[in-house]
Amino acid sequence: MTSSALVTGATSGIGRAVAHALGAAGHHVLVHGRDAARGADTVAAIRCAGGSAEFVAADLADPASCRALAATAADVDVLVNDAGTFPADGLTPDVTDHDLAAVFAVNVAAPHRLVAALAPRMAARGGGAIVNVLSMAAAHGMPGIGLYGASKAALAQLTRAWAVEFEPAGVRVNAVSPGPTRTEGMERFGPALDAMAAKAPAGRPATPAEIAAAVAFLAAPGSSFVQGAVLDVDGGRCAV
Ligand SMILES: NC(=O)c1ccc[n+]([C@@H]2O[C@H](COP(=O)([O-])OP(=O)(O)OC[C@H]3O[C@@H](n4cnc5c(N)ncnc54)[C@H](OP(=O)(O)O)[C@@H]3O)[C@@H](O)[C@H]2O)c1
């Protein structure tokens, strides 16, 4: 039977590259996002490369929509929690109540709801793999991304907790922590992305495909003894 994978935030950037990588690895990919046109583009590109995919829309900030997504994706073998958001003005005095709610709804509550619904079903079918997409902002203090970093730190801790909770039943849970990566979502930062990337030994932003390769590794059977890990994919920033 064909393995299937749900990739949240697969209409753009890193998530789209992950969807491509998992499609190339033979999974039927549920391409999640809100933008149906970009979802259709991602599905078409995967099919064009010989893979199998379909688009599933859901607003992860809305609990009912998130639960509907979990019902649609009930029998996936792989879950990649990639979708993420951060406030336009992230300096602490500028963060609104709406920002506080939205960042934690999409970056923490949505992965929690999806894992709560899907991990037990993976376990009942004999196993599965979950990969969470974090950020180096979870481990480095940086002005303007404190709230965002805190949400990713929460997801890092959930990664460890879920590993202990679900791995005895065969569901591996790991995370990738990307450094600055050139995506549509980062376009608004312009040269600031390069300036941030320059602080790492690699000295440049990642491509989405470089992050996706690490996610695909953690989703594949070849990483069977990697459990509860956070893999830094940040051009060496973790070593500085
Ligand atoms: N790029 C970087 O430098 C970088 C670095 C470290 C970590 N990350 C993390 O990597 C992940 C992907 O980042 P990216 O740069 O590839 O982002 P991006 O290009 O902005 O794409 C974000 C994706 O998340 C989806 N999304 C956002 N809010 C959503 C919501 N409320 N409901 C449903 N889907 C929603 C978007 O879907 P629609 O547009 O279809 O709504 C889109 O597919 C995020 O978790 C981010 O925090 C990125």
Side-chain angles (χ1 to χ4, degrees), residues 193-229:
L193 185 76
D194 296 282
M196 200 186 296
K199 295 179 180 164
R204 63 165 176 85
T207 65
E210 288 174 309
I211 310 301
V215 174
F217 164 69
L218 291 173
S223 60
S224 55
F225 210 58
V226 184
Q227 305 184 355

Short mmCIF file of all heavy atoms in Angstrom, two decimals, residues 193-229:
data_model
loop_
_atom_site.label_atom_id
_atom_site.label_comp_id
_atom_site.label_asym_id
_atom_site.label_seq_id
_atom_site.Cartn_x
_atom_site.Cartn_y
_atom_site.Cartn_z
N LEU A 193 17.59 39.33 5.52
CA LEU A 193 17.75 37.87 5.53
C LEU A 193 19.21 37.51 5.29
O LEU A 193 19.77 36.65 5.99
CB LEU A 193 16.86 37.25 4.44
CG LEU A 193 16.83 35.72 4.42
CD1 LEU A 193 15.98 35.18 5.56
CD2 LEU A 193 16.31 35.20 3.09
N ASP A 194 19.84 38.19 4.34
CA ASP A 194 21.26 37.91 4.05
C ASP A 194 22.14 38.32 5.23
O ASP A 194 23.11 37.63 5.55
CB ASP A 194 21.69 38.66 2.78
CG ASP A 194 20.94 38.16 1.57
OD1 ASP A 194 21.29 37.10 1.05
OD2 ASP A 194 19.97 38.83 1.16
N ALA A 195 21.78 39.42 5.87
CA ALA A 195 22.57 39.89 7.02
C ALA A 195 22.51 38.87 8.16
O ALA A 195 23.53 38.57 8.80
CB ALA A 195 22.06 41.26 7.49
N MET A 196 21.33 38.31 8.37
CA MET A 196 21.19 37.31 9.42
C MET A 196 21.97 36.04 9.04
O MET A 196 22.67 35.44 9.86
CB MET A 196 19.71 36.97 9.62
CG MET A 196 19.41 36.34 10.97
SD MET A 196 17.70 35.82 11.11
CE MET A 196 16.84 37.35 11.01
N ALA A 197 21.87 35.66 7.77
CA ALA A 197 22.56 34.45 7.30
C ALA A 197 24.07 34.61 7.37
O ALA A 197 24.80 33.64 7.58
CB ALA A 197 22.12 34.13 5.87
N ALA A 198 24.54 35.85 7.22
CA ALA A 198 25.99 36.10 7.20
C ALA A 198 26.65 35.76 8.54
O ALA A 198 27.87 35.60 8.62
CB ALA A 198 26.26 37.55 6.83
N LYS A 199 25.86 35.64 9.60
CA LYS A 199 26.42 35.33 10.92
C LYS A 199 26.79 33.85 11.06
O LYS A 199 27.43 33.46 12.04
CB LYS A 199 25.41 35.72 12.01
CG LYS A 199 25.16 37.21 12.07
CD LYS A 199 24.15 37.56 13.13
CE LYS A 199 23.92 39.07 13.15
NZ LYS A 199 22.75 39.47 13.86
N ALA A 200 26.37 33.03 10.13
CA ALA A 200 26.67 31.59 10.18
C ALA A 200 27.87 31.29 9.28
O ALA A 200 28.15 32.02 8.33
CB ALA A 200 25.46 30.79 9.71
N PRO A 201 28.60 30.20 9.56
CA PRO A 201 29.73 29.84 8.70
C PRO A 201 29.38 29.74 7.22
O PRO A 201 30.18 30.12 6.36
CB PRO A 201 30.17 28.48 9.27
CG PRO A 201 29.76 28.53 10.71
CD PRO A 201 28.50 29.33 10.76
N ALA A 202 28.19 29.25 6.89
CA ALA A 202 27.82 29.13 5.48
C ALA A 202 27.74 30.49 4.82
O ALA A 202 28.00 30.64 3.62
CB ALA A 202 26.48 28.40 5.34
N GLY A 203 27.33 31.51 5.60
CA GLY A 203 27.34 32.89 5.09
C GLY A 203 26.26 33.23 4.10
O GLY A 203 26.30 34.30 3.48
N ARG A 204 25.29 32.36 3.92
CA ARG A 204 24.21 32.61 2.94
C ARG A 204 22.93 31.96 3.47
O ARG A 204 22.99 31.04 4.28
CB ARG A 204 24.56 32.00 1.59
CG ARG A 204 24.72 30.47 1.64
CD ARG A 204 24.70 29.81 0.27
NE ARG A 204 24.95 28.37 0.36
CZ ARG A 204 24.01 27.45 0.60
NH1 ARG A 204 22.75 27.81 0.79
NH2 ARG A 204 24.31 26.16 0.67
N PRO A 205 21.76 32.42 2.97
CA PRO A 205 20.51 31.73 3.33
C PRO A 205 20.47 30.35 2.70
O PRO A 205 21.10 30.09 1.68
CB PRO A 205 19.42 32.62 2.72
CG PRO A 205 20.08 33.91 2.39
CD PRO A 205 21.53 33.60 2.13
N ALA A 206 19.69 29.46 3.33
CA ALA A 206 19.44 28.14 2.75
C ALA A 206 18.46 28.25 1.60
O ALA A 206 17.71 29.23 1.50
CB ALA A 206 18.85 27.22 3.82
N THR A 207 18.46 27.24 0.75
CA THR A 207 17.35 27.06 -0.19
C THR A 207 16.31 26.19 0.51
O THR A 207 16.65 25.37 1.38
CB THR A 207 17.81 26.36 -1.48
OG1 THR A 207 18.23 25.03 -1.16
CG2 THR A 207 18.97 27.11 -2.13
N PRO A 208 15.03 26.32 0.13
CA PRO A 208 14.01 25.44 0.70
C PRO A 208 14.36 23.96 0.53
O PRO A 208 14.10 23.15 1.42
CB PRO A 208 12.74 25.83 -0.05
CG PRO A 208 12.96 27.26 -0.43
CD PRO A 208 14.43 27.37 -0.73
N ALA A 209 14.97 23.61 -0.59
CA ALA A 209 15.30 22.20 -0.84
C ALA A 209 16.32 21.67 0.18
O ALA A 209 16.29 20.49 0.54
CB ALA A 209 15.85 22.03 -2.26
N GLU A 210 17.22 22.55 0.65
CA GLU A 210 18.22 22.10 1.64
C GLU A 210 17.55 21.76 2.98
O GLU A 210 17.98 20.86 3.69
CB GLU A 210 19.29 23.17 1.82
CG GLU A 210 20.22 23.27 0.62
CD GLU A 210 21.21 24.43 0.72
OE1 GLU A 210 20.78 25.57 0.99
OE2 GLU A 210 22.42 24.19 0.52
N ILE A 211 16.50 22.51 3.32
CA ILE A 211 15.76 22.19 4.55
C ILE A 211 14.92 20.93 4.33
O ILE A 211 14.86 20.03 5.19
CB ILE A 211 14.84 23.36 4.97
CG1 ILE A 211 15.63 24.69 4.99
CG2 ILE A 211 14.20 23.07 6.31
CD1 ILE A 211 16.82 24.73 5.92
N ALA A 212 14.30 20.86 3.15
CA ALA A 212 13.43 19.71 2.85
C ALA A 212 14.19 18.39 2.89
O ALA A 212 13.65 17.36 3.30
CB ALA A 212 12.78 19.91 1.48
N ALA A 213 15.45 18.41 2.47
CA ALA A 213 16.24 17.17 2.46
C ALA A 213 16.39 16.62 3.89
O ALA A 213 16.34 15.40 4.11
CB ALA A 213 17.61 17.43 1.85
N ALA A 214 16.55 17.53 4.85
CA ALA A 214 16.67 17.10 6.25
C ALA A 214 15.34 16.56 6.77
O ALA A 214 15.30 15.55 7.49
CB ALA A 214 17.16 18.26 7.11
N VAL A 215 14.25 17.22 6.39
CA VAL A 215 12.92 16.74 6.80
C VAL A 215 12.67 15.35 6.21
O VAL A 215 12.20 14.43 6.91
CB VAL A 215 11.82 17.72 6.36
CG1 VAL A 215 10.44 17.15 6.65
CG2 VAL A 215 11.99 19.07 7.04
N ALA A 216 13.00 15.18 4.93
CA ALA A 216 12.77 13.89 4.27
C ALA A 216 13.59 12.79 4.94
O ALA A 216 13.11 11.66 5.09
CB ALA A 216 13.12 14.00 2.78
N PHE A 217 14.81 13.12 5.36
CA PHE A 217 15.63 12.13 6.08
C PHE A 217 14.95 11.69 7.36
O PHE A 217 14.85 10.49 7.65
CB PHE A 217 17.01 12.75 6.39
CG PHE A 217 17.79 11.99 7.44
CD1 PHE A 217 18.31 10.73 7.17
CD2 PHE A 217 18.00 12.54 8.69
CE1 PHE A 217 19.01 10.02 8.14
CE2 PHE A 217 18.70 11.85 9.67
CZ PHE A 217 19.20 10.58 9.39
N LEU A 218 14.42 12.65 8.12
CA LEU A 218 13.78 12.30 9.39
C LEU A 218 12.46 11.57 9.20
O LEU A 218 11.99 10.86 10.09
CB LEU A 218 13.57 13.56 10.24
CG LEU A 218 14.86 14.21 10.76
CD1 LEU A 218 14.57 15.54 11.44
CD2 LEU A 218 15.59 13.28 11.73
N ALA A 219 11.84 11.73 8.03
CA ALA A 219 10.58 11.04 7.74
C ALA A 219 10.80 9.64 7.21
O ALA A 219 9.86 8.85 7.16
CB ALA A 219 9.77 11.86 6.73
N ALA A 220 12.03 9.33 6.81
CA ALA A 220 12.29 8.06 6.12
C ALA A 220 12.77 6.98 7.09
O ALA A 220 13.33 7.28 8.15
CB ALA A 220 13.35 8.30 5.04
N PRO A 221 12.57 5.71 6.74
CA PRO A 221 12.97 4.61 7.62
C PRO A 221 14.47 4.60 7.94
O PRO A 221 14.87 4.08 8.97
CB PRO A 221 12.60 3.36 6.81
CG PRO A 221 11.60 3.81 5.81
CD PRO A 221 11.89 5.25 5.52
N GLY A 222 15.29 5.20 7.07
CA GLY A 222 16.73 5.23 7.30
C GLY A 222 17.14 5.96 8.57
O GLY A 222 18.24 5.77 9.08
N SER A 223 16.23 6.78 9.11
CA SER A 223 16.54 7.50 10.36
C SER A 223 15.84 6.83 11.55
O SER A 223 15.52 7.48 12.53
CB SER A 223 16.11 8.96 10.25
OG SER A 223 14.72 9.06 10.01
N SER A 224 15.67 5.51 11.45
CA SER A 224 14.85 4.79 12.45
C SER A 224 15.33 4.96 13.89
O SER A 224 14.52 4.86 14.82
CB SER A 224 14.82 3.30 12.10
OG SER A 224 16.13 2.81 11.99
N PHE A 225 16.65 5.21 14.11
CA PHE A 225 17.13 5.32 15.49
C PHE A 225 17.29 6.78 15.91
O PHE A 225 17.83 7.07 16.98
CB PHE A 225 18.46 4.55 15.66
CG PHE A 225 18.66 4.01 17.05
CD1 PHE A 225 17.73 3.15 17.62
CD2 PHE A 225 19.77 4.36 17.80
CE1 PHE A 225 17.90 2.65 18.91
CE2 PHE A 225 19.96 3.87 19.09
CZ PHE A 225 19.02 3.01 19.64
N VAL A 226 16.80 7.69 15.09
CA VAL A 226 16.80 9.12 15.45
C VAL A 226 15.42 9.43 16.01
O VAL A 226 14.42 9.37 15.30
CB VAL A 226 17.09 10.00 14.21
CG1 VAL A 226 17.19 11.47 14.64
CG2 VAL A 226 18.36 9.56 13.51
N GLN A 227 15.37 9.76 17.28
CA GLN A 227 14.08 9.91 17.96
C GLN A 227 14.15 11.06 18.95
O GLN A 227 15.05 11.13 19.78
CB GLN A 227 13.73 8.60 18.68
CG GLN A 227 13.75 7.42 17.72
CD GLN A 227 13.31 6.11 18.35
OE1 GLN A 227 13.07 6.04 19.53
NE2 GLN A 227 13.23 5.07 17.54
N GLY A 228 13.21 11.97 18.87
CA GLY A 228 13.17 13.10 19.80
C GLY A 228 14.26 14.12 19.56
O GLY A 228 14.57 14.93 20.44
N ALA A 229 14.83 14.12 18.36
CA ALA A 229 15.99 14.99 18.06
C ALA A 229 15.54 16.29 17.40
O ALA A 229 14.53 16.33 16.69
CB ALA A 229 16.96 14.26 17.14
#
